[in-house]
Each structure stands twice: as C-alpha cells, then as structure tokens.
Amino acid sequence: MTRYNIFNHIHKGLRALLFETALQLQQTDFTNADEADAATQQVQLVLDLFDEHAHTEDQYVLPELQQYEPSVVDVFEKEHQKDLLMSRQLSEWLKAFGYAIAPGAKKDIGKGINIAFVDFMNFNLEHMKKEEDVLNNLFWNYYTDPQLKALTQAILAHVPKDKMPAYSKWMMRGLSNDEITSWLKEVKNNAPDFVFQSLMDLASVELSEQRWQQVQEQLTEGAMLA
C-alpha cells in the first residue's frame, strides 16, 4: 500500500523552483540591468520560500517525532542550521551585487552568486531526499495516513498568506498531472469554491496547453465540474 507522503507536494515545488532558478542564473548577463534584477529577485524568492519552509518544519514537522526519535530530530535541526548559514552567505552575495557599479565587478559577483546558489541547491536537494527517505519512514511507523493528512492541514493553516501563492505556483509547476488532479479534487471537496477556482485559474496559467487540457479531462470524469 502506498502511504501518504507529507513532503511530496512541497518538495516537488521547491525542486522545480531550484531547477528553474539555476537555469536562469546560468543564462543571466549580470551587466544587463533587467536580466540581473530578474535573476537576483528570483534568488531572493528562493531564499524566502526555503527559509519559511525550514521554519515550518522546525515548528510543526520535527516536533511530531521528538518524543519517538530525538536523535534523528537533532540531526535534521542541525542541517537546518547549516542551511540557514548557506542562505546568509547567498544573501551576502546579493547584497554585494547591489553595491556593484563596474561591469567587471558585476560579472565577478554574478559568478559568485551562481557558485553559491549551486552549493545551496545541492545541499537542499540532498536534504529533502533525506527527509523523504528517513522522516517519512518514521512518520509511517508512528502515525496513520489520516493523522498525517491532518498535520498537513494544520501546517497549511500557518503558512503566511503572502507566501501561499508562490508555493502554489511552484507546486503546480513541479507536480505531475495525476498529482495536480488529485490536489484539485481534494480542494474541490474540502475547501470553499473560491479557493478551488483560484487553483483552477493558476493551473490554466502555469500548465502547458496540452497538460491543462489533460487535467481538465481528468477532472471532468464523473461530472466533476458539472
């Protein structure tokens, strides 16, 4: 039986964000003001969303395992501390770029941003993999799927409203069609209509025409939207 993966949606969204940002940075001409502004703002978005995600895990996810596996929780808390340090280092690169004037300096700092971002990305990709491998198995030992789904809802209730649209956008970009369809059905059945419609609008914008058509077809099976 496939168990409920508490990390699946958010981690897929965050990975999509990392991948697209890495590609954007590789293509950026840091002497071009518009390109540089777009790239640095994207990196700041990454830092903001990952910082909030780590905070959420520290506050609502890891405490659920503290009484059962305190040593494991300690390991992941220390990884979050390392992640915070890497975030601050990347922030310092962004700050330095903001002071740069000469084209040569902008190019050099742009290279520094790229390198620091790749380090940040690699660390977080491995960290998220560990969470899915280690923490999921612990959650499955100690909690039922309904309990884990309830925990997800409790977490969602505490996500800052100003960050939820960004998380939703990147989850929409990172999930498979089946996962998006299941997500939309869950929202349709358990949330106010305006929340469902906002996600439908988001899907229509973020998905390719082909994928959006496929999702709509899956949703309409059984007169879902009748």
Side-chain angles (χ1 to χ4, degrees):
M1 182 182 72
T2 301
R3 294 294 308 273
Y4 178 70
N5 180 350
I6 195 172
F7 299 105
N8 185 69
H9 283 35
I10 186 60
H11 279 186
K12 280 198 169 186
L14 292 174
R15 281 195 289 268
L17 175 59
L18 288 173
F19 298 151
E20 290 200 25
T21 304
L23 182 59
Q24 181 178 354
L25 284 173
Q26 288 182 174
Q27 297 171 344
T28 296
D29 175 0
F30 281 91
T31 65
N32 180 298
D34 290 338
E35 289 187 27
D37 285 347
T40 53
Q41 288 175 20
Q42 182 75 357
V43 172
Q44 188 60 58
L45 173 65
V46 171
L47 295 178
D48 290 344
L49 294 187
F50 270 84
D51 179 68
E52 182 61 39
H53 177 62
H55 174 73
T56 297
E57 290 183 339
D58 286 338
Q59 293 294 313
Y60 302 104
V61 177
L62 294 180
E64 295 294 326
L65 294 172
Q66 180 65 42
Q67 62 177 318
Y68 303 112
E69 304 284 349
S71 61
V72 175
V73 170
D74 183 61
V75 169
F76 281 90
E77 286 178 340
K78 288 179 179 177
E79 288 209 359
H80 283 173
Q81 292 171 8
K82 181 177 179 180
D83 189 39
L84 179 59
L85 177 61
M86 298 181 78
S87 295
R88 288 173 177 170
Q89 291 170 342
L90 191 47
S91 292
E92 288 300 315
W93 278 109
L94 294 180
K95 186 183 298 183
F97 185 81
Y99 290 118
I101 297 176
K106 290 183 177 182
K107 286 184 178 181
D108 289 341
I109 296 172
K111 290 179 182 178
I113 292 172
N114 265 285
I115 293 170
F117 185 83
V118 169
D119 288 341
F120 178 87
M121 178 176 68
N122 288 339
F123 174 82
N124 275 285
L125 289 174
E126 183 61 28
H127 176 71
M128 288 189 286
K129 180 179 181 295
K130 288 180 184 177
E131 289 181 329
E132 292 178 16
D133 289 344
V134 176
L135 297 186
N136 262 336
N137 279 293
L138 294 178
F139 274 119
W140 296 336
N141 284 338
Y142 300 117
Y143 292 88
T144 65
D145 282 0
Q147 288 174 320
L148 293 177
K149 290 179 180 180
L151 176 59
T152 297
Q153 293 305 311
I155 291 170
L156 289 173
H158 289 89
V159 175
K161 291 183 179 180
D162 63 322
K163 289 187 171 61
M164 184 58 76
Y167 283 126
S168 296
K169 170 183 175 177
W170 288 99
M171 286 191 290
M172 195 68 72
R173 290 190 180 186
L175 295 172
S176 69
N177 287 358
D178 286 344
E179 289 167 334
I180 291 170
T181 301
S182 296
W183 180 20
L184 290 169
K185 286 181 178 179
E186 183 76 16
V187 172
K188 174 69 174 178
N189 293 331
N190 296 286
D193 287 343
F194 76 89
V195 177
F196 171 71
Q197 191 55 55
S198 69
L199 282 182
M200 289 289 287
D201 292 342
L202 180 65
S204 70
V205 172
E206 295 299 333
L207 301 179
S208 67
E209 183 177 349
Q210 180 182 22
R211 292 191 66 198
W212 174 226
Q213 181 64 34
Q214 291 170 343
V215 167
Q216 290 181 92
E217 289 173 357
Q218 289 177 304
L219 286 172
T220 53
E221 292 178 2
M224 169 68 184
L225 299 179

